[in-house]
Amino acid sequence: MGWNATWRAKALPELAERDWDLIVVGGGITGAGILREAARRGWRCLLVEQRDFAWGTSSRSSKMVHGGLRYIAKGQFGLTRDSVRERQRLLGEAPGLVDPLSFIMPHYQGGFPGPRVFGMLLSLYDALAGRRNHLFHRLEELRYLAPGLREDRLLGGTRFQDAVTDDARLVMRVLGEARAEGGEALNGLKVIELDRRAGRVQGLVAEDSESGERFTFRARAVALATGAWADALRQKHGSEHIRPLRGSHLLLPAWRLPVAHAFSFMHGQDKRPVFVFPWEGATVVGTTDLDHRDTLDDDAAISREEVDYLLAACAQQFPSAQISAADVRSTWAGVRPVVSDGAPSLKPSDEKREHALWVEPGCVTLAGGKLTTFRLLALEVLAACAPMLERSLEAAGEQVFEPVEAVDLPGLTPPQQTRLRGRHGRALPELARVLKTVGSECIGHTDSLWAELAWAAEGELVLHLDDLLLRRTRVGLLLADGGAHELPRIRALCQPRLGWDDPRWKREEQDYLALWRRCYSLPN
């Protein structure tokens, strides 16, 4: 049976009866990485996610696979080295999912950082990566690379390389690797409490969001990878806690602000770094950094102040484009789980972005960390869990993604084939089967195929319409009004595959459009 809601309903009671070596709580990139590394070592492992895979921060990040340039300035050379190496690993293992992206830092007279200081940082950055990949362009050259860039007092710009990804698809690809190695993953399963007995965590109690039924799971170890939600379950010691910080983004049609590179610059208001970069055929502007004071149970949403802040960044760097709120196609806001010692004087941007590991008998909590180093974070968690299982953490190779077998994908260009291999990995043969039936047409102006939508409905554990349109594919972000005009065709293609009757589809459609207007469009 496919990995879908029908499978889930039948499998859930049986999975709750098993004895697990490790249960991972949290279906973002960190949790997926832990499951993948545990499964490849033969551990009996299960992942449970309260909403949907990548629902939290891991579908609403800035999409960048950074080498950690800013850590050099703080003297964190080891972290930068690890980040650079993991970036290069992901670029090599998952082309089409993790792709190179050139960045340009414009330099202005009297501004920081200047070309010389920035060049010195990049030289060290390149040395850690083992290759030179930066170059300074004088103003005359920069005009060709960055038409429309503000030229007042502009000296030139430094171009360097990092990478970009579809963060939600990265999570799904890692989960696919874990499941292929024997791990299991369930969404829509909220952990109510950890089962603590005799001073030790021995499992957990979780509630099925679909049926309301509660299940008790037994495990020799539990790994909490719940990001901003970590404080809700862990046993707290000391003053360290999670400080939820919101980062919001605007998505513009590419024709309104066409950029071939990512542009990094300091915002005039607060001297924070802001980016304008190409993503999925659109242009993204982000990000903000402020305390998130709303409930974590709801999707985060951009505020009017954040919209104004990001529009001001566009006006600052690309004044001739005259970008306004009317140009915004969609927005998203993610909550970063920053570990704080509670110092009230620290501004959000001054908080350290280092991860923390908290251990109690039978349970390990990981908080913080960055997308790029998810594999290393997973190994750190497993090293803490291994003694609880009376095991050592044996080496099992460093490759995150197994090579994808050659599959015939007729009617697709080489870049399209690379894209599908990167995003779907071991599921590519199943996607190829759907392609033969559905065809290779793209959805509107996006690069996503109707066949990808159909395959997700069949075999990627979609429980609700927003799972399908905001995370399995990104058409809800890339199409106007969240793809409302395409909903009749989406219904014809996906409703039979999802097994929803007409009243269920109508409810899902209404809920999705209400969610999109509330959290993924401009604020009222």
Side-chain angles (χ1 to χ4, degrees):
M1 186 183 296
W3 193 41
N4 53 35
T6 302
W7 167 85
R8 180 186 178 279
K10 293 182 177 180
L12 180 50
E14 188 272 328
L15 294 176
E17 290 297 318
R18 293 189 192 177
D19 290 314
W20 299 97
D21 292 326
L22 176 69
I23 295 180
V24 183
V25 183
I29 188 58
T30 303
I34 296 169
L35 188 74
R36 195 271 181 272
E37 293 301 326
R40 76 194 301 180
R41 287 166 172 80
W43 294 16
R44 292 167 299 180
C45 51
L46 168 71
L47 179 146
V48 295
E49 157 59 37
Q50 64 172 335
R51 297 288 286 269
D52 183 38
F53 308 121
W55 171 77
T57 312
S58 292
S59 63
R60 292 177 265 174
S61 74
S62 292
K63 321 302 184 196
M64 294 178 185
V65 181
H66 278 304
L69 178 61
R70 70 193 185 100
Y71 296 116
I72 293 180
K74 297 181 179 180
Q76 297 172 297
F77 301 118
L79 180 56
T80 305
R81 182 194 63 240
D82 290 343
S83 299
V84 166
R85 290 178 179 177
E86 291 302 301
R87 180 198 68 191
Q88 293 306 119
R89 179 194 311 285
L90 291 169
L91 281 167
E93 291 182 15
L97 174 59
V98 180
D99 293 312
L101 178 64
S102 62
F103 285 66
I104 292 178
M105 170 69 82
H107 302 290
Y108 292 88
Q109 195 172 28
F112 181 84
R116 181 168 296 180
V117 171
F118 197 62
M120 291 171 61
L121 283 174
L122 285 172
S123 294
L124 184 52
Y125 194 52
D126 292 350
L128 293 170
R131 65 183 69 191
R132 178 183 171 87
N133 67 3
H134 76 275
L135 186 65
F136 176 75
H137 296 279
R138 297 186 180 277
L139 177 58
E140 295 76 14
E141 299 172 313
L142 194 59
R143 286 191 178 114
Y144 291 99
L145 296 172
L149 191 67
R150 176 172 62 90
E151 292 193 8
D152 179 38
R153 301 169 66 87
L154 181 61
L155 302 173
T158 303
R159 181 161 54 96
F160 61 100
Q161 293 287 324
D162 257 315
V164 67
T165 190
D166 180 336
D167 47 1
R169 287 308 316 177
L170 180 64
V171 171
M172 295 304 295
R173 177 84 191 273
V174 176
L175 286 177
E177 295 290 334
R179 295 190 71 247
E181 300 284 350
E184 289 290 1
L186 294 167
N187 51 2
L189 205 59
K190 182 177 182 178
V191 176
I192 303 301
E193 62 179 350
L194 297 182
D195 185 5
R196 290 185 171 94
R197 302 181 194 178
R200 178 185 176 87
V201 174
Q202 300 187 23
L204 53 86
V205 178
E207 183 175 281
D208 178 14
S209 65
E210 302 303 293
S211 67
E213 188 175 357
R214 290 193 174 185
F215 297 88
T216 299
F217 293 83
R218 299 181 299 274
R220 298 172 69 188
V222 173
L224 300 181
T226 52
W229 293 259
D231 284 346
L233 292 172
R234 75 179 179 93
Q235 195 174 66
K236 298 172 188 172
H237 298 286
S239 62
E240 284 191 331
H241 66 280
I242 300 299
R243 182 179 181 180
L245 299 179
R246 187 170 69 244
S248 299
H249 306 76
L250 307 178
L251 184 140
L252 312 171
W255 64 269
R256 276 303 283 121
L257 188 56
V259 291
H261 312 269
F263 290 87
S264 175
F265 53 93
M266 301 302 173
H267 198 292
Q269 280 185 26
D270 53 11
K271 308 306 178 185
R272 282 190 58 256
V274 181
F275 298 93
V276 175
F277 61 97
W279 181 73
E280 292 292 301
T283 299
V284 175
V285 184
T287 178
T288 58
D289 196 17
L290 71 166
D291 285 298
H292 182 72
R293 305 190 186 281
D294 299 328
T295 174
L296 292 172
D297 291 335
D298 296 331
D299 291 57
I302 196 170
S303 67
R304 173 57 62 184
E305 291 74 20
E306 289 173 288
V307 172
D308 293 342
Y309 177 89
L310 295 175
L311 290 176
C314 294
Q316 172 187 315
Q317 290 304 125
F318 298 93
S320 62
Q322 297 185 332
I323 300 298
S324 70
D327 297 309
V328 176
R329 178 163 286 164
S330 66
T331 70
W332 71 80
V335 181
R336 308 179 186 98
V338 174
V339 180
S340 175
D341 61 5
S345 60
L346 277 181
K347 296 187 295 184
S349 295
D350 292 336
E351 288 278 16
K352 293 181 180 179
R353 302 305 165 101
E354 297 174 355
H355 71 279
L357 206 66
W358 296 307
V359 180
E360 63 174 296
C363 183
V364 176
T365 301
L366 175 68
K370 61 199 298 276
L371 179 152
T372 310
T373 55
F374 72 87
R375 185 187 71 91
L376 301 180
L377 295 173
L379 292 177
E380 195 171 331
V381 170
L382 292 193
C385 290
M388 302 174 189
L389 277 61
E390 298 179 346
R391 296 186 180 186
S392 60
L393 188 65
E394 67 278 8
E398 296 183 343
Q399 202 160 338
V400 175
F401 302 115
E402 293 297 324
V404 179
E405 65 179 271
V407 177
D408 184 31
L409 300 172
L412 297 178
T413 65
Q416 284 180 310
Q417 295 189 40
T418 299
R419 180 183 178 280
L420 293 182
R421 279 195 299 273
R423 287 158 190 266
H424 298 278
R426 298 196 199 195
L428 194 60
E430 289 300 312
L431 178 61
R433 172 185 58 80
V434 177
L435 269 166
K436 292 178 181 177
T437 304
V438 176
S440 57
E441 182 186 353
C442 291
I443 305 171
H445 56 75
T446 74
D447 292 330
S448 298
L449 307 182
W450 286 101
E452 291 181 89
L453 206 63
W455 162 241
E458 282 186 27
E460 290 193 328
L461 201 47
V462 169
L463 299 183
H464 297 283
L465 191 56
D466 60 298
D467 303 343
L468 183 66
L469 301 183
L470 293 175
R471 287 173 292 278
R472 304 300 184 275
T473 67
R474 313 315 289 268
V475 295
L477 297 176
L478 298 169
L479 297 180
D481 300 318
H485 298 298
E486 295 287 1
L487 282 174
R489 186 171 175 182
I490 293 171
R491 177 178 186 173
L493 180 68
C494 296
Q495 184 178 351
R497 291 175 163 86
L498 291 165
W500 296 346
D501 59 19
D502 289 344
R504 170 74 186 273
W505 182 272
K506 186 175 181 180
R507 279 198 314 276
E508 291 287 343
E509 196 171 283
Q510 290 173 342
D511 290 347
Y512 165 70
L513 291 174
L515 171 67
W516 190 89
R517 287 190 292 267
R518 188 171 66 251
C519 299
Y520 294 89
S521 66
L522 290 172
N524 292 326

